[in-house]
Amino acid sequence: MTSQTLCQTYLGNMAHKTRLLNGGKNLVRNLVLGRSVSTSSKRKTTLLKQLLSSPQLAFLMEAHSGLSARIVEEAGFHGIWGSGLSISAQLGVRDSNEASWTQVLEVAEFMADATHIPILLDADTGFGNFNNARRLVRKLEDRGIAGCCIEDKCFPKTNSLLDGRQQPLADIQEFTLKIKACKDHQRDPDFCVVARVEAFIAGWGLQEALTRAEAYRNAGADAILIHSKKSDPSDIEAFMSQWGNKCPVMIVPTKYFKTPTEHFKELGISTVIWANHNLRASVSAMQNTCHQIMSEQSLVNIESKVASITEIFRLQQDHELRAAENLYLPKK
């Protein structure tokens, strides 16, 4: 067989493999999670917008890495909260804008690459003024992030749940124009910008919360996140009694966790964010594991309590790589 014939045969085989791949609707991509899945033809931004506006109570689960994001999707959640607290904590820094916005962006990109469901990124205060915030929106769109949530505090921010800390609010007009800048500069019409109202966190009353929420809604915010650190839902109840369903409302019940979820439905809440529990669960697991191994200097009593190496390989989608190698590496 001549070299020309060998080359033609090789190219023919490659063309056949390509047809098989395309005809099979991207076989390799559909090996996600170790099983066949049907991915939605809708953009992630559209999925998030529909989630926020759905008449049914929706839930976003916290993730802080590509791995945790994939676990959230496997659990059946339809959306992910890219928690600023959790992302900063897993980087080993405080939730005070010590991680740069590009570092947060890189983590968010890994999360988006690992999943098919939309991510709402906790974007703190937008990492600066209107100019920083509108640039962030463009970069999030580039990386497949479905939306961002921006809070009306001053940069650098302080975590809302810290005790005894001052929580100065941004000027209402300045923050309103920041929201408008984000909405004016998004390219995807379904990209969601959520305005987070911190009036209750900062010690202000109901009227301040309502005034700010109305201003942000008029500036184009797709939803309002009304935040409270009380151990009961009284702030949320007061706000919802006066809000009048003007636009979707999101909550973070980290502190009032004993409130029955059914009550959130009764109040007309759009979306509940379980904001930090994957991080906290992993910290507890790692602390317990480290302490036991340090104490016993052995793995005998710990191996059955942790995920298997095989499970880690599955979550990393090693099966996809093996399938791709069969398609794209020459056979010896």
Side-chain angles (χ1 to χ4, degrees):
M1 187 178 290
T2 66
S3 59
Q4 182 178 3
T5 303
L6 281 171
C7 183
Q8 289 173 341
T9 302
Y10 173 76
L11 291 174
N13 289 337
M14 288 300 296
H16 177 64
K17 288 179 179 179
T18 301
R19 286 193 296 272
L20 285 175
L21 179 62
N22 293 333
K25 298 184 183 296
N26 295 322
L27 172 63
V28 173
R29 291 180 59 200
N30 288 340
L31 286 172
V32 173
L33 310 180
R35 53 187 169 82
S36 177
V37 295
S38 57
T39 57
S40 173
S41 59
K42 295 179 180 177
R43 300 188 307 275
K44 290 181 179 180
T45 51
T46 305
L47 292 173
L48 180 60
K49 194 155 195 173
Q50 291 177 343
L51 198 71
L52 297 181
S53 60
S54 169
Q56 304 299 320
L57 183 64
F59 303 96
L60 299 182
M61 184 66 187
E62 171 261 320
H64 49 273
S65 63
L67 185 68
S68 59
R70 181 165 288 150
I71 289 171
V72 168
E73 182 173 33
E74 285 193 2
F77 286 96
H78 297 296
I80 295 170
W81 170 249
S83 164
L85 168 63
S86 298
I87 291 173
S88 61
Q90 65 96 10
L91 291 172
V93 298
R94 290 168 289 239
D95 187 21
S96 300
N97 293 127
E98 291 182 355
S100 71
W101 72 271
T102 55
Q103 290 171 321
V104 173
L105 191 67
E106 183 174 19
V107 175
E109 182 175 9
F110 276 107
M111 292 168 61
D113 287 346
T115 53
H116 299 91
I117 57 177
I119 297 170
L120 177 64
L121 181 69
D122 177 3
D124 294 338
T125 62
F127 301 97
N129 69 3
F130 80 93
N131 194 42
N132 305 89
R134 66 177 180 172
R135 179 170 170 78
L136 175 68
V137 166
R138 289 286 180 93
K139 297 305 178 182
L140 291 174
E141 286 183 308
D142 290 342
R143 287 156 177 80
I145 308 300
C148 64
C149 179
I150 303 177
E151 61 192 73
D152 59 350
K153 291 195 298 199
C154 299
F155 178 87
K157 58 83 59 81
T158 301
N159 186 277
S160 301
L161 303 183
L162 285 168
D163 293 327
R165 303 295 182 89
Q166 289 190 341
Q167 301 281 356
L169 297 181
D171 174 78
I172 189 169
Q173 184 179 20
E174 184 270 334
F175 190 79
T176 298
L177 291 172
K178 182 185 290 187
I179 294 295
K180 185 177 187 304
C182 290
K183 295 302 295 181
D184 285 349
H185 285 80
Q186 68 186 62
R187 290 161 294 191
D188 184 332
D190 287 343
F191 183 89
C192 294
V193 176
V194 176
R196 174 166 150 177
V197 177
E198 295 279 297
F200 291 136
I201 296 293
W204 292 83
L206 174 61
Q207 189 54 54
E208 182 71 16
L210 288 167
T211 298
R212 286 176 173 269
E214 178 66 9
Y216 307 157
R217 181 186 72 86
N218 289 333
D222 297 282
I224 298 296
L225 193 162
I226 188 71
H227 206 6
S228 172
K229 60 180 178 181
K230 285 186 176 180
S231 61
D232 63 69
S234 56
D235 283 341
I236 309 304
E237 292 168 339
F239 181 87
M240 294 304 293
S241 70
Q242 300 295 316
W243 180 241
N245 198 31
K246 295 176 182 177
C247 76
V249 174
M250 311 176 74
I251 59 171
V252 180
T254 300
K255 286 293 189 178
Y256 47 99
F257 60 89
K258 293 182 180 178
T259 306
T261 301
E262 189 63 33
H263 188 48
F264 301 145
K265 296 180 183 178
E266 295 167 353
L267 292 175
I269 299 298
S270 161
T271 307
V272 174
I273 299 173
W274 312 120
N276 45 56
H277 288 75
N278 273 331
L279 171 75
R280 291 160 62 190
S282 62
V283 167
S284 295
M286 288 188 289
Q287 287 173 334
N288 292 336
T289 300
C290 287
H291 289 156
Q292 185 169 351
I293 293 175
M294 179 64 186
S295 174
E296 298 176 0
Q297 297 185 6
S298 171
L299 301 177
V300 171
N301 295 319
I302 205 72
E303 186 63 27
S304 63
K305 299 178 182 179
V306 298
S308 67
I309 292 294
T310 301
E311 173 63 3
I312 302 303
F313 291 156
R314 186 191 71 80
L315 286 167
Q316 291 177 306
Q317 296 192 345
D318 180 64
H319 53 276
E320 188 277 338
L321 177 58
R322 291 176 63 186
E325 287 173 342
N326 287 333
L327 285 170
Y328 302 125
L329 289 180
K331 300 297 186 293
K332 295 183 179 178

